């Protein structure tokens, strides 16, 4: 079209090739009368030429016999119509009906298929339509709702923190940043600069870290009872297997837990004879879809033998929990020393996995002792984590088993190793878990190094719950010596005579031999008292003492308010020689 216009302008007005027809319209005003007259003549010529081409095109189209002739006729008609329209528009503009510049601009826009410019909505305030105003009001309402929701959440968090402080739980606080140093491989002794600031320790269960583990809150997760499906079994060593459990009806666990807590497992090796055992969770709370129990096969362990020999993928396993306060989430210390022996590594792995998953910045010292490299549980994972995290320092001590590679120290963990592996160990928080002889030896070494008892946290249940240090226990009415750490001294006392125990709810009375706990007597009499840890930490076996006097070696799981109201831990309560009556 523009080409044909240009050709016509060149043919009829060769001197105006550089000043096309519509370009002249754009130049009006200002323009002189002579130029305006020339444009009128040009416009009239366009109208005449357009009509002529329209006539010729119509005649050619009527007599066209081939597609080529039809296309040529259509081209003539199109050029004719364009010339006629442009000439007529120019004549109207020159007559004053429209501004010539607008006529020219509309012509160019039409030929280039450009949409006309949007007209501002001058009828509305600041050019906004009702639709715009409604959208803005809706967005303002949504923003106000979100702000109100955030304000309500902030108030709730403050209330929870206030309540937790009122009940003695420590407030959440960020761990102090500690200088990190690259850690050597696991066989070598780790070293790091001492932390720069002192820290406080708490015996209460700490709140979750900034990155909530599996939904854990400032409060201790509530115990849950039900069945989980075995989805995977992994052999870690010749005597240790890991059982991965998941909810058979959901894609996440039906309970929350903190790193270091344990679950009670119930199996039925013989029909009608259930057996229970507690195992520490080895997986991290950040893994919401499953939980892992790493279990060593004990020769005399009914539950562990059942798990190793009978349990298979797809089976359902009845569990209760989580229980326990042997936890660490990184909120109550700026560094942590994890010392484990044998299968006591499981709670330490849960803590370590959680701290590395959440990118905790504090120094982590992981010391592990095993009989041999063949029994080194999680060796590959520990070496991988140490390579990836500069704040993690691992020390392994064990004998080299035939056919394995080991360049680290052999034997047992010594005081000299502790000093070399953990700078300024006397001021750091320490978690210790392992066989009784190993724990007794490590505790003695830590005491010699000046580690305060408040900074040392230990875990022992099952075979590891046997006493390591006999302590004299003083009997008190309906109470215990709260800091006593050995039940064996009480069990072997010749001054405690056999007596009787009555279970008021069941209506059963039974003999209560010297040194036997209320829980043991209940099991012998066929009275069911729920329990989990059997070492006085979980608080599941709390019962009310209606008459008599008892002593308890451990009462960690007994709330002060329950103790004041006459409640005791059945797994720890032993008679002082007088008959007992309990509400069970």
């Amino acid at each position: 079209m523009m080409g044909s216009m240009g050709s016509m302008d060149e043919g009829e007005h060769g001197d105006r090739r550089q000043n096309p027809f519509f370009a002249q319209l754009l130049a009006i005003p200002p323009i002189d009368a002579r130029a305006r007259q020339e444009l009128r003549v040009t416009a009239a010529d366009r109208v005449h030429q357009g009509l002529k081409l329209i006539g010729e095109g119509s005649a050619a189209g009527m007599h066209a016999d081939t597609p080529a002739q039809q296309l040529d006729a259509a081209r003539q008609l199109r050029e004719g119509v364009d010339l006629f329209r442009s000439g007529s528009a120019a004549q109207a503009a020159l007559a004053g009906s429209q501004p010539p510049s607008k006529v020219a601009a509309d012509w160019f826009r039409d030929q280039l298929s450009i949409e006309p410019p949007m007209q501002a909505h001058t009828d509305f305030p600041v050019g906004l339509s009702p639709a715009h105003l409604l959208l803005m009001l809706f967005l303002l309402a949504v923003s106000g709702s979100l702000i109100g929701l955030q304000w309500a959440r902030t108030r709730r968090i403050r209330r929870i923190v206030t309540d937790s402080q009122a009940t003695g739980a420590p407030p959440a606080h960020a761990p102090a940043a500690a200088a990190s140093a690259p850690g050597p491989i696991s066989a070598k002794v780790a070293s790091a600069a001492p932390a720069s600031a002192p820290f406080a320790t708490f015996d209460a269960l700490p709140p979750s870290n900034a990155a909530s583990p599996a939904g854990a809150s400032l409060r201790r997760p509530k115990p849950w009872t039900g069945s989980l499906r075995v989805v995977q079994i992994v052999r870690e060593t010749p005597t240790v297997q890991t059982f991965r459990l998941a909810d058979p009806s959901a894609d996440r666990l039906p309970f929350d837990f903190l790193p270091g807590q344990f679950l009670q497992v119930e199996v039925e090796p013989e029909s009608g004879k259930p057996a229970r055992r507690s195992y520490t969770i080895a997986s991290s709370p950040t893994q919401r879809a499953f939980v892992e129990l790493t279990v060593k096969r004990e020769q005399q362990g009914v539950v562990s033998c059942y798990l190793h020999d009978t349990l298979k993928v797809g089976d359902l396993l009845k569990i209760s929990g989580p229980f326990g306060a042997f936890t660490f989430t990184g909120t109550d210390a700026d560094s942590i020393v994890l010392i484990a022996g044998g299968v006591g590594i499981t709670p330490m792995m849960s803590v370590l996995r959680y701290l590395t998953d959440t990118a905790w910045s504090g120094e982590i010292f992981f010391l592990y002792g095993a009989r041999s490299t063949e029994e080194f549980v999680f060796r590959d994972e520990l070496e991988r984590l140490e390579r990836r995290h500069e704040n993690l320092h691992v020390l392994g001590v064990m004998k080299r088993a035939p056919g394995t590679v080991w360049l680290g120290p052999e034997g047992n963990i010594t005081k000299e190793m502790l000093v070399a592996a953990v700078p300024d160990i006397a001021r750091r928080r320490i978690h210790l878990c392992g066989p009784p002889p190993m724990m007794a030896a490590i505790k003695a070494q830590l005491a010699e190094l000046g580690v305060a008892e408040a900074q040392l946290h230990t875990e022992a249940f099952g075979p590891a719950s046997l006493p390591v240090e006999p302590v004299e226990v003083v009997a008190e009415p309906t109470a215990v010596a709260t800091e006593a750490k050995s039940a064996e001294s009480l069990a072997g006392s010749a001054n405690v005579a056999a007596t009787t125990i009555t279970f008021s709810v069941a209506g059963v009375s039974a003999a209560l031999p010297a040194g036997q706990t209320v829980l043991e007597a209940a099991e012998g009499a066929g009275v069911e008292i729920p329990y989990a840890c059997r070492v006085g930490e979980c608080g599941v076996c709390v019962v009310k003492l209606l008459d008599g006097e008892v002593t308890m070696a451990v009462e960690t799981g007994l709330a002060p308010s329950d103790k004041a109201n006459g409640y005791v831990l059945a797994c720890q309560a032993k008679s002082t020689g007088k008959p007992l009556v309990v509400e069970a």
Side-chain angles (χ1 to χ4, degrees), residues 354-388:
Y354 173 76
L355 295 179
T356 53
D357 284 350
T358 56
W360 190 60
S361 60
E363 293 290 331
I364 308 172
F365 301 92
F366 197 101
L367 284 68
Y368 179 62
R371 292 180 181 177
S372 68
T373 51
E374 190 179 41
E375 294 295 326
F376 192 168
V377 191
F378 307 119
R379 177 177 181 175
D380 293 340
E381 183 177 0
L382 284 171
E383 292 176 344
R384 178 180 59 83
L385 289 174
E386 187 180 27
R387 287 193 300 268
R388 296 189 60 180

Side-chain angles (χ1 to χ4, degrees), residues 363-501:
E363 293 290 331
I364 308 172
F365 301 92
F366 197 101
L367 284 68
Y368 179 62
R371 292 180 181 177
S372 68
T373 51
E374 190 179 41
E375 294 295 326
F376 192 168
V377 191
F378 307 119
R379 177 177 181 175
D380 293 340
E381 183 177 0
L382 284 171
E383 292 176 344
R384 178 180 59 83
L385 289 174
E386 187 180 27
R387 287 193 300 268
R388 296 189 60 180
H389 300 275
E390 293 185 353
N391 62 328
L392 172 60
H393 316 284
V394 179
L395 169 66
V397 181
M398 64 201 71
K399 293 182 180 180
R400 184 183 68 83
T404 62
V405 177
W406 182 248
L407 302 177
E410 298 188 5
N412 300 318
I413 298 176
T414 65
K415 182 171 64 174
E416 291 72 23
M417 292 179 185
L418 292 173
V419 173
V422 187
D424 199 12
I425 191 173
R427 60 168 299 275
R428 302 186 187 273
R429 178 183 176 113
I430 301 173
H431 280 219
L432 173 63
C433 184
M438 175 262 193
M439 294 181 64
I442 296 296
K443 289 177 68 175
Q445 295 168 9
L446 294 175
E448 293 178 6
L449 294 175
V451 176
E453 185 177 358
Q455 294 173 211
L456 178 60
H457 302 258
T458 61
E459 173 78 311
F461 56 85
S465 64
L466 299 176
V468 295
E469 293 179 358
V471 178
E472 182 182 356
V473 180
V474 179
E476 295 179 3
T478 320
V480 300
T482 58
E483 299 300 325
K485 301 209 175 161
S486 172
E488 193 173 49
S489 61
L490 196 64
S493 175
N495 297 325
V496 180
T499 184
T500 60
I501 182 170

Side-chain angles (χ1 to χ4, degrees), residues 8 123 143 180 183 197 199 255 277 296 337 405 427 446 474 490 515 519 573:
M8 294 186 64
D123 297 337
S143 300
S180 61
F199 58 86
F255 58 87
R277 180 75 161 81
K296 181 179 181 181
V337 182
V405 177
R427 60 168 299 275
L446 294 175
V474 179
L490 196 64
L519 179 59

